[in-house]
Amino acid sequence: MFSGLHDIDWSSMVHAYGSAEEVPGLLLALRSSDEEERDRALSRFYGAVHHQGDVYACTVASLPFLFELADDTATPGRDDVVELLVSIGSEAVGRGDVEYVGHIDFAGAARVVRGRAETFVGFACDPDVRVRRAAVPGLGLFVDDVARASKVLRGRMADEPSFVVQLLIVEAMANLALRLPEHAEEATAWFTALAADPHAVPETRLAAVVQRARCAPGQVDDGTVAAAIELLREADVGGAEEAWGSPPRPAVPGDGPPQIVAAFEDLERHRSVHSPTADLLRTFHGTLAERVPARTTLLAEQLRSRDPGARLDAIRMSTELMAGWRGDHARLVMLVAEHLGASHPQVAAEAAAALNSCHAIAEPAREALAAYVGGPDGWCSARPHVRRGHQEAVQALARLGDVRAVPSLVAALDGGEDGWRAVQVAGRLPQAAERLVPLVCDHLRSLDLAHHAVDMSARSALSALVGLADGAVEAIAETLDAAVARELWSIASSALDALAAFGPSAAPALRTIRPLIAHGAARPAAVAALWAIGGDPGEVVRPALGLLDDRAVGIGKAADVLAGIGPHAREALPRLRDLLADGDEWNRVSCANALWEIGGVPEAPVVLDTLLQAWGQNPFTANEVVACLERMGDAAVPAVPQLRAELLRPERRGRFVSIGDDEELQRICRVLIERLV
């Protein structure tokens, strides 16, 4: 086995992290009898040799040996190897028509897997159901003979005892039809017959309905959704908890910022599925796309499942719908909120997380969240799902400005248990500033600024103190002094931004701020803080003008300062006009805004043209653009058609494409249209 493996000059090739000379060792480890050794090798192969779907020359060189492993029935974990082959092949076929420079070779891998199409046919008929499950997707992707592929898939469906593999067969037939359109009509007829087959299990019939819709989205109607729901009800037999359990926690660095550790945990949770129809239903939601009422009706049925795993998957799909598409989500918010009372704590925790993530529209769930939170004891619960659910619900309540979150936040900040989560939302409760400010200040002072990963925690605490807006200047000024002393300019800039928010009441910090307007890394934030706190145009205009000529430190920040100064900054007008031709849309928006604030109505035509062009070229600028339009008053009338067009878009948009940004974008658009028309 592996004849010629060491004849290849692996050191002349690279993968995602450098030299590919480790690849032979990984391939040898994939045939090890030691499961842990195989798992490590497989993980490394995915992480480096097939990094995020990329296919390198060394990946292509590995393919013959991977096929050799998969062909050998004595290979332990053959299904993992076949799955790896399908993953490499699917990426290669999907991206093989694009020319890449450097070490990427999708086209080469595509030729190899297509040349071994019959091998995948053999794998799809393997006695081992795990191998069949891994191989079947390849039939729809790598077999170019339509008649051959269709015949094999039909034959497999007739002989396949596993309904999970049957779902994959139906999906492969759809992939074949989408890849080779001459097969679409035949495939659609097959889907129709299969969906009506009384001998097929409901899950397989549901797959036929979904994949037919995927191949012909223009033919989807209310009847399609109704048929899917009826089959979903037939398939719902309920599942035992041990059938899915809790997803494993990913390995993350122990000394990483807690926010990053939590993000990896969330990523792992979202990669996990807990019901066999989850991927199928996600595909259906993808086909339904902007049909929000139909998707909500479908999710309502999913959320009624007797299987807690199916409900958990449905909650995540509900989050994806609300986060991705505009519409009236009040009903869905309430359906998710009902699961706060689920008997399974993981389902309840997922419901709380969903409501936290969509906090901008979570108002209908306020009372349900408060009832679920109860007292502060759940914040430190020894039961992981209970702790997570409580913390997510507290954060959701706090983001709604509800003081019933305060006892838990105080307990967290007092005890130090996951205090960073409390800090994230403390700024949303200014009415509780008297209790929270001292605790957040203590948290900020406790941070070791010398630690390489403290920036995120420091920014979060500074932001919270700005939101609380009471008695925090001293602690922020101390942080600024400490950051400057250690030349930690990222933290110093965050502290300067925080002090700027306090305006003249932060005057004692001016002694530290003034020298910083000459320092490269901190100059933009220092100039902005000097203006916000000192308010002297004569002291700020010249430094701000200097920043307009320094692309490395931020034109936008300087333009924002000049906009705040207004007519007293008239000497900046020529430079601001020049910058309306800048290649960065964000800079153009900031400069156009400053031009309006300084020059007023005479500048309106060029300002409006710049704003609307930037918005059209870069939709992420939308929030800043409409905020400026709002300040322009009647001068913004020509923007009405673009405002109306924005409201007709079904997908979420805005700076971070978040629910909050998008809801605010829609709100301002409606206000402007009503005011200007």
Side-chain angles (χ1 to χ4, degrees):
M1 181 173 275
F2 286 1
S3 175
L5 177 65
H6 297 293
D7 295 335
I8 297 172
D9 185 4
W10 296 99
S11 63
S12 69
M13 294 181 276
V14 299
H15 56 43
Y17 298 106
S19 172
E21 57 190 346
E22 68 173 310
V23 173
L26 296 177
L27 292 168
L28 289 166
L30 288 175
R31 56 185 287 199
S32 171
S33 59
D34 185 329
E35 184 177 359
E36 288 188 11
E37 183 180 359
R38 292 199 311 274
D39 286 346
R40 286 194 300 270
L42 189 66
S43 177
R44 178 62 178 173
F45 203 102
Y46 273 108
V49 189
H50 187 37
H51 176 69
Q52 295 182 355
D54 281 341
V55 174
Y56 306 88
C58 67
T59 321
V60 179
S62 302
L63 289 175
F65 305 105
L66 291 173
F67 275 111
E68 193 172 349
L69 278 171
D71 281 334
D72 185 357
T73 57
T75 297
R78 283 177 67 221
D79 56 308
D80 290 330
V81 178
V82 174
E83 187 173 2
L84 174 58
L85 283 166
V86 171
S87 178
I88 294 170
S90 62
E91 292 289 344
V93 169
R95 299 159 71 180
D97 293 335
V98 180
E99 289 291 334
Y100 289 86
V101 297
H103 304 284
I104 299 296
D105 189 12
F106 289 112
R111 286 192 294 271
V112 173
V113 295
R114 282 177 167 148
R116 297 292 298 267
E118 283 301 316
T119 303
F120 288 100
V121 172
F123 291 154
C125 301
D126 197 272
D128 188 336
V129 65
R130 294 169 300 180
V131 173
R132 298 200 304 275
R133 184 172 178 173
V136 162
L139 301 183
L141 298 170
F142 311 144
V143 182
D144 289 330
D145 184 332
V146 172
R148 170 69 173 148
S150 179
K151 180 180 178 181
V152 170
L153 288 169
R154 291 168 183 269
R156 283 308 318 141
M157 180 61 77
D159 297 337
E160 181 55 59
S162 167
F163 87 84
V164 174
V165 179
Q166 289 179 12
L167 302 186
L168 295 171
I169 292 170
V170 179
E171 181 182 8
M173 187 72 85
N175 287 335
L176 183 68
L178 291 169
R179 185 167 63 89
L180 303 170
E182 62 269 27
H183 175 60
E185 187 175 342
E186 179 187 349
T188 300
W190 186 70
F191 293 141
T192 301
L194 182 59
D197 184 354
H199 302 294
V201 297
E203 292 89 347
T204 301
R205 294 170 63 200
L206 174 63
V209 170
V210 169
Q211 298 300 343
R212 181 180 59 196
R214 179 176 164 228
C215 290
Q219 298 177 21
V220 174
D221 56 20
D222 291 343
T224 308
V225 177
I229 288 174
E230 184 59 36
L231 289 167
L232 193 60
R233 287 173 181 162
E234 289 184 41
D236 185 18
V237 296
E241 176 184 334
E242 58 269 19
W244 49 274
S246 302
R249 283 193 168 194
V252 293
D255 62 345
Q259 299 92 329
I260 298 299
V261 174
F264 272 97
E265 291 174 352
D266 283 340
L267 183 62
E268 188 67 22
R269 273 189 286 267
H270 284 280
R271 284 174 175 168
S272 303
V273 294
H274 302 87
S275 60
T277 56
D279 288 337
L280 177 64
L281 290 166
R282 186 167 274 113
T283 295
F284 195 30
H285 280 288
T287 299
L288 293 172
E290 72 272 16
R291 296 176 172 93
V292 170
R295 292 180 65 180
T296 301
T297 300
L298 177 62
L299 284 165
E301 188 62 37
Q302 293 177 242
L303 289 165
R304 281 193 285 267
S305 173
R306 287 168 286 183
D307 178 2
R311 295 199 302 275
L312 198 153
D313 289 331
I315 290 169
R316 291 179 182 162
M317 291 181 214
S318 300
T319 305
E320 291 162 8
L321 172 58
M322 292 186 284
W325 300 94
R326 295 170 173 174
D328 183 358
H329 295 300
R331 178 190 175 203
L332 191 53
V333 166
M334 290 305 297
L335 287 170
V336 171
E338 290 174 6
H339 289 76
L340 292 170
S343 59
H344 195 289
Q346 191 172 351
V347 175
E350 199 61 40
L355 295 170
N356 187 21
S357 70
C358 70
H359 60 86
I361 55 173
E363 178 60 38
R366 181 191 291 265
E367 295 307 316
L369 284 164
Y372 175 69
V373 166
D377 294 343
W379 187 276
C380 300
S381 173
R383 301 171 63 192
H385 296 312
V386 172
R387 182 173 66 249
R388 176 181 176 239
H390 181 92
Q391 292 181 1
E392 295 278 6
V394 167
Q395 286 187 308
L397 264 187
R399 294 185 203 278
L400 291 170
D402 196 307
V403 294
R404 286 173 286 189
V406 172
S408 291
L409 299 184
V410 169
L413 292 166
D414 260 341
E417 180 74 20
D418 292 330
W420 65 274
R421 291 188 185 274
V423 170
Q424 284 185 327
V425 296
R428 301 299 186 99
L429 294 162
Q431 64 270 51
E434 186 175 351
R435 297 182 68 184
L436 294 175
V437 167
L439 295 171
V440 177
C441 286
D442 288 345
H443 176 83
L444 178 61
R445 289 180 173 120
S446 73
L447 297 175
D448 179 7
L449 298 188
H451 193 281
H452 69 92
V454 78
D455 287 35
M456 195 177 296
S457 296
R459 283 197 300 270
S460 183
L462 291 165
S463 177
L465 291 173
V466 169
L468 291 168
D470 182 35
V473 169
E474 184 179 350
I476 298 172
E478 290 173 8
T479 301
L480 174 62
D481 289 338
V484 170
R486 294 174 172 82
E487 298 187 352
L488 303 172
W489 302 117
S490 174
I491 295 176
S493 294
S494 296
L496 287 163
D497 289 342
L499 289 169
F502 285 89
S505 64
L510 287 173
R511 60 177 176 77
T512 303
I513 295 171
R514 284 194 171 97
L516 296 177
I517 65 172
H519 190 284
R523 281 170 64 206
V527 171
L530 185 58
W531 165 247
I533 298 168
D536 180 1
E539 190 176 23
V540 178
V541 170
R542 286 289 176 181
L545 276 170
L547 289 173
L548 287 180
D549 293 320
D550 191 343
R551 178 172 298 279
V553 296
I555 292 171
K557 191 89 166 183
D560 292 343
V561 172
L562 292 165
I565 295 172
H568 290 292
R570 295 192 65 82
E571 63 184 290
L573 289 175
R575 180 63 181 138
L576 289 168
R577 292 189 190 107
D578 289 343
L579 286 168
L580 295 185
D582 190 83
D584 185 293
E585 294 89 2
W586 295 100
N587 287 341
R588 297 206 302 273
V589 169
S590 293
C591 290
N593 177 55
L595 203 58
W596 168 260
E597 295 296 336
I598 298 168
V601 173
E603 305 290 343
V606 68
V607 167
L608 196 60
D609 184 58
T610 300
L611 292 174
L612 297 184
Q613 281 194 28
W615 186 4
Q617 293 166 1
N618 184 351
F620 298 111
T621 64
N623 291 87
E624 281 69 18
V625 169
V626 297
C628 185
L629 294 175
E630 190 173 30
R631 291 189 290 272
M632 291 178 70
D634 290 344
V637 167
V640 168
Q642 198 155 328
L643 294 166
R644 284 179 167 151
E646 177 61 44
L647 291 178
L648 292 175
R649 294 182 178 275
E651 72 277 10
R652 295 282 187 194
R653 286 159 58 91
R655 180 161 192 175
F656 297 108
V657 200
S658 68
I659 295 175
D661 282 336
D662 181 64
E663 290 291 317
E664 180 65 7
L665 172 60
Q666 292 181 73
R667 185 192 69 79
I668 297 180
C669 285
R670 292 189 186 99
V671 167
L672 281 171
I673 291 170
E674 184 176 354
R675 182 187 302 165
L676 298 174
V677 174

